[in-house]
Amino acid sequence: MAKILGVKFKNTAKTYYFAPQEGETYIEKSGVIVETAKGLEYGTVVFGVKEVDDKEIVHPLKPVVRKATEKDEKNIRENEKKIPETMEFASSKIQELNLNMKLIGCEYAFDGKKIVFFFTADNRIDFRELVKVLAAKFHVRIELRQVGIRDETKILGGIAPCGRECCCSNSLTDFCKVTIKMAKNQGLHLNPGKISGLCGRLMCCLEYENDYYAEVYKKMPKLGGTVGTPEGDGVVISNDMLKLVSKVKITKDDGSEVYKDFPVDRLRFNKGKQNAEDDDLDKNVSEDMKKILD
């Protein structure tokens, strides 16, 4: 068994494990200084010291150097206050140098000896002159890091279409592969405006319950398909994936139409035939849909 301490860093939802100092007690949400591959960093305690099986961690664990002091907390606050002015200066220089890049954020290293700028761009950017200008201004090491469009939303944050904070900036630890088939499994309309997030890509939450919907989808009739019911053949209008119920339109002999709900186990249809054409869905989408898959 190994003793660990759970720590999070700014702008991340992932919890990292560190080796606590022997006999030390750590309070949740308090600050700590830890050793990382980037050097010393400030983090926030997510959970106190606990023991876990050695198989659950990757050895060797980086150590907790010390609890954050008032001076450490003050340095962090001062670095935060510098960010708006730093961003404004960097943005103005990007315009002066006519660089085709979008600056989305920056952060100071804990010791204040390095500034990391995050940006997006359609192509590779020669930013060597920009680095020289920034280094001359701030007299610290400058690092420019190009990120993807999903990372941009993760850094900037925002309110998702569901009305909650974006998953990527609030709770998502790693980006998962999201496909059109996941939206199809859940019975969602394949409208880019309905199934894409603030980043313009498919919403990350489509993956959360995909295992359940993928299994249920195999049991449900296809929308618009013909099925047999206890009251005659009809056309499927909608499916309730949670209740396993389908709404079917039945045309009577006199031409009248009735709509009724039937449990899926009371319907007759060829599951293999109904679902076969969906197997290559991601390969046969419209140009608009391809944009949110790129």
Side-chain angles (χ1 to χ4, degrees), residues 6-23:
V7 176
K8 280 187 180 181
F9 300 104
K10 181 185 174 184
N11 295 328
T12 64
K14 188 173 182 178
T15 298
Y16 294 86
Y17 297 158
F18 290 88
Q21 290 188 358
E22 192 66 33

Side-chain angles (χ1 to χ4, degrees), residues 4 24 27 34 45 82 145 179 217 221 226 231 238 258 282:
I4 63 169
E24 192 69 83
I27 302 173
V34 296
V45 176
K82 296 177 186 176
R145 190 175 301 169
T179 67
Y217 184 72
T226 301
E231 299 182 21
S238 64
V258 295
D282 285 336

Side-chain angles (χ1 to χ4, degrees), residues 108 112-115 131 134-142:
Y108 279 77
K113 296 181 180 179
K114 181 177 74 171
I115 307 175
V131 171
L134 295 176
K137 169 66 175 178
F138 300 109
H139 305 289
V140 296
R141 179 184 171 192
I142 302 296

Side-chain angles (χ1 to χ4, degrees), residues 46-285:
V46 179
F47 58 79
V49 179
K50 68 177 185 180
E51 292 187 344
V52 298
D53 193 289
D54 288 322
K55 297 179 180 178
E56 297 182 26
I57 59 177
V58 178
H59 287 284
L61 286 176
K62 293 287 187 179
V64 175
V65 177
R66 66 175 187 275
K67 293 181 179 179
T69 64
E70 289 186 10
K71 182 179 179 180
D72 293 329
E73 300 285 355
K74 182 180 178 181
N75 288 339
I76 292 296
R77 290 193 296 270
E78 289 179 349
N79 286 340
E80 291 289 330
K81 291 179 181 178
K82 296 177 186 176
I83 289 178
E85 183 179 348
T86 303
M87 287 284 291
E88 183 178 355
F89 178 82
S91 297
S92 66
K93 293 305 175 183
I94 288 174
Q95 292 181 355
E96 288 181 18
L97 296 171
N98 197 29
L99 297 175
N100 189 22
M101 57 191 288
K102 177 183 177 183
L103 188 65
I104 60 175
C106 77
E107 63 180 31
Y108 279 77
F110 167 69
D111 58 10
K113 296 181 180 179
K114 181 177 74 171
I115 307 175
V116 181
F117 293 90
F118 301 94
F119 72 94
T120 58
D122 294 332
N123 302 297
R124 294 190 64 180
I125 303 294
D126 183 355
F127 47 68
R128 287 174 293 182
E129 186 62 30
L130 176 62
V131 171
K132 292 179 183 178
V133 173
L134 295 176
K137 169 66 175 178
F138 300 109
H139 305 289
V140 296
R141 179 184 171 192
I142 302 296
E143 180 179 331
L144 271 75
R145 190 175 301 169
Q146 185 171 356
V147 299
I149 191 169
R150 287 193 166 186
D151 294 289
E152 177 183 357
T153 301
K154 181 176 182 178
I155 293 172
L156 297 178
I159 303 301
C162 63
R164 297 173 62 90
E165 187 178 354
C166 290
C167 296
C168 59
S169 61
N170 180 47
S171 58
L172 197 65
T173 56
D174 295 295
F175 287 115
C176 302
K177 180 177 175 59
V178 186
T179 67
I180 291 291
K181 186 65 181 291
M182 293 178 181
K184 184 72 172 179
N185 287 343
Q186 298 182 35
L188 302 176
H189 293 293
L190 302 186
N191 180 335
K194 299 292 185 181
I195 60 176
S196 56
L198 298 185
C199 61
R201 300 294 186 261
L202 289 170
M203 293 188 293
C204 297
C205 58
L206 292 176
E207 190 269 342
Y208 291 171
E209 298 176 341
N210 184 62
D211 290 344
Y212 168 80
Y213 282 106
E215 190 62 32
V216 170
Y217 184 72
K218 299 175 183 177
K219 303 176 182 179
M220 304 297 291
K222 183 176 177 62
L223 294 179
T226 301
V227 295
T229 77
E231 299 182 21
D233 292 347
V235 177
V236 179
I237 302 302
S238 64
N239 288 319
D240 189 321
M241 308 290 279
L242 297 178
K243 295 181 179 179
L244 297 180
V245 170
S246 296
K247 183 179 290 294
V248 180
K249 179 179 73 173
I250 301 173
T251 303
K252 299 293 186 179
D253 294 336
D254 60 4
S256 62
E257 297 177 344
V258 295
Y259 295 81
K260 287 196 172 184
D261 293 335
F262 295 95
V264 68
D265 58 6
R266 297 187 63 191
L267 300 177
R268 302 185 306 277
F269 59 96
N270 188 327
K271 297 180 182 179
K273 183 178 180 180
Q274 295 279 35
N275 297 323
E277 62 188 78
D278 294 325
D279 290 342
D280 296 322
L281 186 61
D282 285 336
K283 301 178 183 178
N284 299 284
V285 295

